[in-house]
Amino acid sequence: MSRGVGFSKSISGFDPRCIAGCQLWLDAADSRATGTSTNNATVSTWLDKSANAYSGTSSGSPTLVTGSQNGLPCVNFVAASSQYFNFGNIIPLTTAGITVFVVGKTTFGASSQTLIAKSRNAGLNGRWGLLYESPNLEFLIDVTGSGVLATGSATTYSGVFSLFGGAWSSPTAYLYVNGTQRGSVSASGTPSSISDSLFVGAYPSTTGSTPPTSGFYYNGTIGEIIVYNTRLLISDRQAVEGYLAWKWGIQTKSTINLVAGHSFYYLRPQTRIFQPSDILTPFLWWDAADTKTIVGTSAVTSWTSKGSSTTVAGSAVGSPVSGTYKQNGLNTIFFPANSSLRYTVAQPNQARAWFAVYQTAQVTLNTSPGLTQYYSLINQTTGNGQQGIGGPGSPTNTATASYGLGMGASGIATYINSAVASNGANVHSVYALVNSAVSTNLNFVTQNGNSLTLNYNALATSYQTSSATYTIGDGFPYGTFSYIAEILCYNTEITIQQRQQIEGYLAWKWGLTTSYPAEHPYKKLPPSSPIPFLPTNFTGCKIWLDGVDTAGTGTAPANGASVSSWVDKSGSSNNFTASGTAATYSGIYNAVSFNNSLYTSSYSAAPTTETIFIVFNTSSTSSGTSSIVGGNTNGSRGIYGGYTQPGGSGSIGTVSSGIGWGATSGAGIVTIGTTALITAQFNAGTSYISLNGSLTIFTGGTSFTSLTVTYLGKENGANNAFSGYAMEIIFYNVYLSTANRQKVEGYLAWKWNLTTLLPSTHPYKLYPPAQESIEPAVPVTIPGTPTGLTASNTTTTFNMS
């Protein structure tokens, strides 16, 4: 797939505001937010660093304590002095849910305490809060008038600086501590809007205001609070948890509090500009800004999809034009009247979500009965059940000139989803049309982020899933010209949050944010993907076996559990299946424990070019115990760790099974019980191997046989069984450049605590590799930081490559 325009490596760090819905961000480490950097000084006002710029006024004189946690200052609350902050009536509970994070330390004793609450000491639909009532932590949610509590024991966290959190969307509320779920409770209902104040450090009174309820004041320190007005996706929640845990010393290389398997157990989160493939690679994705996908200028002859379906839209009628017309400085394709491109594809699933940025010409008002004129972005050519994306079309009301917009399957009396949109003529707009096969509540038609009222609403059940032919850019009956910038289609269910992410991506990329409503989560900030560097950042990743996540679910197996298969996380489905007695899982090493174990796959063992990384810990450096990567028969590519025949005990090497050794090291570079990293590469008949990112690279030849396949744990499926632990194994079907090879080495070294083994000149000896970033092709300025405040651990200037 083409990588598109605007790639850069300039963004690192994490900004909580770049996750949709950040409503409150209180950071005691930022003196401009607390108004002081002096130890024991009163914090009179605590300024919010979210785009809302709220302000909390203190009562009882809470103070700043410098160097309180991980060298950072915290705000200190004394319960006996009734200290708290009042933020007024903010952050109402809505059906979108809520997610709350608080980092701090208190002694959980006999007295009740409140970390944060928009509530009252009485039943009322719409309340929420994070509390302590002996002996439990509690996340309070009230969506019925009778509040419920997700609870968990507080004993372990008394006097320990910790990360507390709560999340809710109907039907369940959850309590988290240090990224681990500690409680849950059924909480079905629809919240009401209440006017109660939001307090930090106290519990509002029976009227939801001051003075607070006695006996619920907080007694301890708080470093940071972040609140979102939605229940975050797991990946986003873990990104915020990772940011807070590493910033405040809750998670370090020597202090472990996040659970193994947490996305940021080993690495700080990184932030980069969101791309549509961060959700799932779109099924279809035509991007006019990526001119490498377009053939022809004055007459476009083909436009190739960047999606998982790389179908080509070829010239059907007329002469579409590329390279002449711009939107936000980016290329668009001009479709003159009666011109279109045509493609053929089968979409296997009923659910689908279309997104597009385009503008049409003025469509003539229709006053004649029975006359229909419309603009069709996507139009079926023949048959029933083929989808069409129509509009803005002919006016549905000649008095107001409102225009029809919808999607549906041909042969149905009306669109599955149809709505009335404002006139889209002569201006670019972002359109989203989502048709769910699960629930009509997930059906949406939006224009520039504004949800339109659906005149007709039904499940996706009648689309043709076999191959069909469609046109892009068409009009009926007279034809009309248009400018198309980008089209995406997901052939799967998507969430509301994901829809809004894509709307945000398109608005910022194509310069259309001014048309978005103030309440849209990406009106003020572009969407981002808070993830660390991953092996799949580089083209050619064909196998990724992760010992922290052997099943590919994000959860590690139980210690001692049998590992029947090791799931490939590269997206290539090259899974490995146990043959005979399966290996077991080691919760101590977070690894697969091999003891005469064999795993088979269908992946080729006869590479021409290849790069392999193996993190392992051997239990033996004796002959016959070291085949980590093997194959099914003679001529298979193999990798040994612990013993090779040429090198002897403690050596590493490559082999062509039954034929001869390739690159091998000398003896003694591998030690029993010490985790290490092997890098092996094959290119143009030469094999290379090194240990722990060393600049000393051993070389040899290759002689692989076609039709062989890759095994793990034994050579030829029977010999030289590996004895030890495999933490992570990554295959690329390309010969990675030195820079990219070292980036993967850095990723693995920081993840598996091997940085001390890297050579002093390794580029990732001192710092982990950053996520390679994808950015828009024009500079982006992020507004939203209140005057005088700075974003912590973030970069907000996006450079172009």
Side-chain angles (χ1 to χ4, degrees), residues 462-475:
S462 303
Y463 293 107
Q464 181 171 317
T465 55
S466 58
S467 182
T469 300
Y470 305 88
T471 59
I472 299 176
D474 202 356

Side-chain angles (χ1 to χ4, degrees), residues 1 3 535-542 732-734 736:
M1 184 180 74
R3 301 179 74 190
T536 49
N537 290 160
F538 295 141
T539 300
C541 183
K542 294 300 180 181
Y732 294 86
N733 67 352
V734 295
L736 290 182

